[in-house]
Amino acid sequence: MLTPGMPLQAALIPDCSELEAHRAAYKKAKANDAIFVCIARHGQRWKVQLDAMASRKPLIPDQSMTVLRSAAEALVLGGIAEQINIGADYISMWPIRTEEEARAIAATFHAAMHGLQQLHILV
C-alpha cells in the first residue's frame, strides 16, 4: 500500500501528456502534500517533471539540489537526456528516448527529492 506523499514506483508515475492529466496529477500531489512528479510526451520522446512546490514541506536546500543537478548533468553527458532545467524547487529533463526510461528517471529523482526533503526536515 502506498502512503500519500511517499515516492512513487516507476509504473505509478502519471503520464501528463494531456493538460487535464497534468492538472489532476498536480492537484493530487498538493492534496497529498507530496512532491509532484510526472512524465509527458515531448514530440516522439518524453519529458520528466518534478516540482517540490506542490508540497507544503520545507523546500530542498541548495546543497541537496546540487547533488540532483550533478545526477541530471550525468544523464546529459551519458546521452540519456539532452536538456535539463533545475531550480530550487523544480527539475525537468528532456528529450528522453522511451517512456520506460522516463518513468525510471522520474521515479529515481522523485525518491531522491523525497529523501533529501525528509532529511532536511529531520535536521
Side-chain angles (χ1 to χ4, degrees):
M1 176 165 203
L2 199 60
T3 304
M6 295 299 289
L8 294 176
Q9 299 170 0
L12 300 177
I13 301 293
D15 178 349
C16 293
S17 297
E18 301 296 327
L19 183 57
E20 282 305 313
H22 189 279
R23 286 183 182 146
Y26 197 88
K27 185 177 179 178
K28 183 176 181 181
K30 284 185 74 78
N32 289 330
D33 196 20
I35 294 169
F36 171 73
V37 60
C38 78
I39 60 169
R41 188 160 284 286
H42 189 76
Q44 294 295 324
R45 298 192 179 207
W46 292 85
K47 183 175 186 174
V48 170
Q49 296 177 306
L50 298 105
D51 185 350
M53 291 295 289
S55 168
R56 293 179 299 279
K57 296 177 181 103
L59 293 180
I60 300 160
D62 290 341
Q63 306 93 309
S64 297
M65 288 304 289
T66 299
V67 173
L68 297 175
R69 181 176 285 108
S70 293
E73 288 170 352
L75 292 176
V76 171
L77 290 174
I80 304 297
E82 292 177 19
Q83 296 183 1
I84 57 172
N85 183 8
I86 300 180
D89 57 356
Y90 183 83
I91 297 174
S92 63
M93 295 172 257
W94 71 97
I96 298 166
R97 285 182 289 266
T98 67
E99 179 180 358
E100 182 177 89
E101 281 182 310
R103 285 185 181 285
I105 291 166
T108 302
F109 273 81
H110 193 239
M113 283 182 85
H114 177 79
L116 290 169
Q117 185 182 58
Q118 294 302 308
L119 182 61
H120 178 60
I121 291 168
L122 178 68
V123 174

